[in-house]
Amino acid sequence: MNPQLKRYYIFLGASLVFSIGLQIGLGYLGVPWYFSIGLVMAIFILLPMIMRRRAMSKMGSYGSDSGSGGGGFFGMGQQGNSGGVRYVCLVCNNKHKGGSCPRCGSKMQRADF
């Protein structure tokens, strides 16, 4: 299993255990169940979101306007990737942009990222 995914699952389980413990503790203190359920659900939802935001900011280019970081979703924003999506013709193996191949006119193509 991927170590990062394993760490994420461990963190998710720990936050679930913490949330349930908090629910029980608040119940013993006399806090109404609807307040404690709301607090527990907020913690259980917000902690993984905070963890994901930290991980994305460590990868780089998360929330930056320059678009020249290394990382992001599917490698978007890497340097040298300013051309966008390019296509490769399946008939003549020509690399091009657009719908049909300028060399042979075929529309059979695959995306090349």
Side-chain angles (χ1 to χ4, degrees):
M1 182 183 283
N2 186 358
Q4 292 173 342
L5 188 62
K6 186 177 179 181
R7 184 173 45 224
Y8 181 74
Y9 285 149
I10 289 171
F11 181 80
L12 197 62
S15 67
L16 178 65
V17 168
F18 176 74
S19 299
I20 291 172
L22 185 65
Q23 174 79 29
I24 292 170
L26 289 175
Y28 282 131
L29 291 175
V31 176
W33 64 272
Y34 45 87
F35 285 134
S36 59
I37 281 275
L39 181 66
V40 166
M41 297 227 1
I43 289 173
F44 189 67
I45 291 171
L46 290 176
L47 281 179
M49 288 175 61
I50 291 168
M51 185 178 174
R52 179 170 295 264
R53 181 172 292 238
R54 281 187 189 169
M56 292 299 291
S57 66
K58 284 181 184 177
M59 281 179 23
S61 81
Y62 183 71
S64 66
D65 292 334
S66 63
S68 63
F73 291 112
F74 305 111
M76 295 291 194
Q78 291 180 349
Q79 294 176 351
N81 194 17
S82 61
V85 179
R86 301 202 36 110
Y87 297 98
V88 177
C89 178
L90 296 177
V91 176
C92 65
N93 207 19
N94 181 30
K95 291 186 179 182
H96 59 88
K97 293 183 181 180
S100 62
C101 178
R103 185 184 293 169
C104 67
S106 172
K107 292 190 178 189
M108 298 290 292
Q109 58 194 1
R110 67 176 169 85
D112 188 28
F113 295 103

